[in-house]
Amino acid sequence: MANLPDSLYEDYTRFMVNFPSASASPPPPNIRMIIKWVDDLHNEIPSTFDFALQNLTIHRTKFEILPRLLWKSRFTVAMMLQEITNIYPYTSRPVYSLNGMHLRVYNILLLFQCITHHPDTRSMFLTADMANYFYPLMDISLTDKPLECLRLGALGVIAHMLKPPVDVAVVRYLTKTNAVEHCTKAIAIGSAESKTLAVFILNKILFTDEGLHYCCACPERFFTLDGLLKMLLVYLTTMTTHRPSLFNLVVGCYAKLSYKPRFFCLHLFEFLLSGKQELDILVCIRARRGLRRYPPVMLFNGTFASLLDADPPAERYRQELIKNVQSRAGDI
């Protein structure tokens, strides 16, 4: 499947909130400056800390060593996590003006995106079981722009873990920590950018065998995901500007959900061997048949004809979906 444009992973929130930027046209930094800025993150003078944080954020993609510097430097990651947890109490009420705390946490989230994108620090991030610090920001129930930026930043941390090639260990970890459930708020009430990043996460999980098994293992999970995707199709029809990336991801999710993987029959056989009740097996079968009974009609009735004409990969996903829904081969 086509990858999302890189802009969705970088400073995409600049279109939503006018965060202040660093001084105009500063000289390009060298590695000594990067090391000094990392060291300044421990400076007790707020202006020095904020200047270092903002400059590290601006130049985060230019120095491959930065994720390792952040992770290996003494207490830096702990300090960054402390800033994130400090903002939790302020995410349950409306924000009427920007303040330094929201900007600071936003920049820290961007630095964590570097950490989860780099293969070395990503593995250490998983080992430290740190994703749970970011899920509360994905679960924010309000849509104030500063809070929406925090949601986007947290989603970006998880999305960076799934940039191709997708590591199966990452998918296994995300399913274990219920990352799919933590994407639901973003899909239900988030901005278009939040929805796109959340569906990107779901899409990458579904495109692995373990992720697909997780999403289809029980009917409640399957139908919740199906309901979210149908909600997104309705949302797409209300938009004045087309969102081809979001549409492509949604259709790709449906194509994958319609596929009956080999492990499904294998797991049914395991259920029989383990003595589980026949009802448990029937529930799994009914969950897989649900897509045939309640198909995404809007993908079949011409509602998105113009988007499909402009997006051949999405049309291929749709044809695969139609073929799988109509076929009864392999049904039990």
Side-chain angles (χ1 to χ4, degrees):
M1 84 164 257
N3 297 326
L4 286 177
D6 285 340
S7 60
L8 276 176
Y9 294 98
E10 304 303 331
D11 293 329
Y12 38 79
T13 53
R14 70 187 184 278
F15 299 112
M16 301 181 58
V17 177
N18 293 321
F19 285 128
S21 59
S23 57
S25 302
N30 54 36
I31 188 62
R32 290 179 181 271
M33 295 175 66
I34 295 295
I35 294 173
K36 182 182 184 305
W37 286 334
V38 171
D39 186 60
D40 283 346
L41 292 179
H42 301 275
N43 196 301
E44 295 182 359
I45 302 174
S47 60
T48 302
F49 173 92
D50 290 333
F51 180 81
L53 176 61
Q54 191 164 11
N55 277 284
L56 286 172
T57 301
I58 291 171
H59 300 288
R60 68 191 183 280
T61 62
K62 301 174 184 177
F63 292 86
E64 189 176 351
I65 196 175
L66 178 58
R68 291 192 291 267
L69 281 174
L70 292 170
W71 190 271
K72 295 291 186 179
S73 59
R74 191 177 180 86
F75 299 129
T76 299
V77 170
M79 176 275 300
M80 293 164 66
L81 290 176
Q82 184 64 54
E83 292 290 338
I84 290 174
T85 57
N86 285 344
I87 208 170
Y88 289 166
Y90 301 95
T91 60
S92 59
R93 54 180 181 259
V95 178
Y96 297 106
S97 63
L98 296 177
N99 58 51
M101 180 179 289
H102 287 84
L103 174 59
R104 179 178 290 185
V105 174
Y106 166 74
N107 284 330
I108 286 173
L109 290 170
L110 293 180
L111 292 184
F112 267 114
Q113 291 179 15
C114 294
I115 290 173
T116 56
H117 182 231
H118 194 283
D120 293 342
T121 48
R122 180 198 305 145
S123 61
M124 292 183 282
F125 182 93
L126 292 179
T127 302
D129 195 21
M130 292 173 59
N132 289 299
Y133 286 98
F134 303 91
Y135 291 152
L137 300 182
M138 293 165 57
D139 293 338
I140 292 174
S141 300
L142 301 172
T143 58
D144 300 65
K145 287 186 177 181
L147 298 180
E148 184 63 23
C149 283
L150 296 181
R151 190 201 319 276
L152 279 164
L155 285 164
V157 173
I158 305 303
H160 269 77
M161 299 169 67
L162 293 164
K163 291 190 81 171
V166 177
D167 187 346
V168 175
V170 171
V171 174
R172 188 178 300 118
Y173 173 80
L174 292 179
T175 55
K176 178 182 176 182
T177 57
N178 298 318
V180 172
E181 285 78 1
H182 291 294
C183 288
T184 57
K185 272 284 172 52
I187 294 174
I189 67 171
S191 65
E193 289 82 5
S194 281
K195 294 179 192 297
T196 303
L197 279 177
V199 179
F200 174 84
I201 293 168
L202 297 181
N203 186 284
K204 290 302 181 184
I205 289 175
L206 279 170
F207 269 68
T208 65
D209 282 350
E210 289 200 24
L212 181 59
H213 180 210
Y214 170 84
C215 292
C216 299
C218 63
E220 291 82 5
R221 196 176 294 154
F222 177 89
F223 284 116
T224 296
L225 183 55
D226 175 55
L228 290 172
L229 294 174
K230 286 186 170 73
M231 182 191 303
L232 286 169
L233 291 177
V234 174
Y235 172 77
L236 284 164
T237 64
T238 67
M239 304 191 72
T240 55
T241 303
H242 288 323
R243 291 279 177 170
S245 294
L246 178 56
F247 178 69
N248 182 287
L249 290 166
V250 172
V251 182
C253 287
Y254 265 122
K256 196 62 178 177
L257 281 174
S258 68
Y259 173 60
K260 183 185 288 295
R262 290 172 299 157
F263 61 68
F264 185 71
C265 293
L266 291 175
H267 278 282
L268 290 180
F269 182 64
E270 291 174 4
F271 289 154
L272 288 171
L273 289 180
S274 63
K276 280 187 172 286
Q277 297 297 319
E278 182 178 0
L279 181 60
D280 295 334
I281 302 173
L282 291 175
V283 166
C284 293
I285 297 171
R286 288 168 184 165
R288 298 301 305 160
R289 289 175 176 171
L291 195 57
R292 182 181 297 121
R293 293 182 181 179
Y294 307 102
V297 177
M298 298 177 75
L299 291 178
F300 304 149
N301 62 9
T303 301
F304 297 105
S306 60
L307 278 174
L308 290 165
D309 288 341
D311 190 347
E315 174 60 21
R316 286 196 293 271
Y317 288 140
R318 190 181 78 98
Q319 292 299 328
E320 181 180 344
L321 170 64
I322 293 172
K323 178 182 177 181
N324 293 340
V325 167
Q326 292 176 344
S327 173
R328 295 182 178 273
D331 278 2
I332 302 176

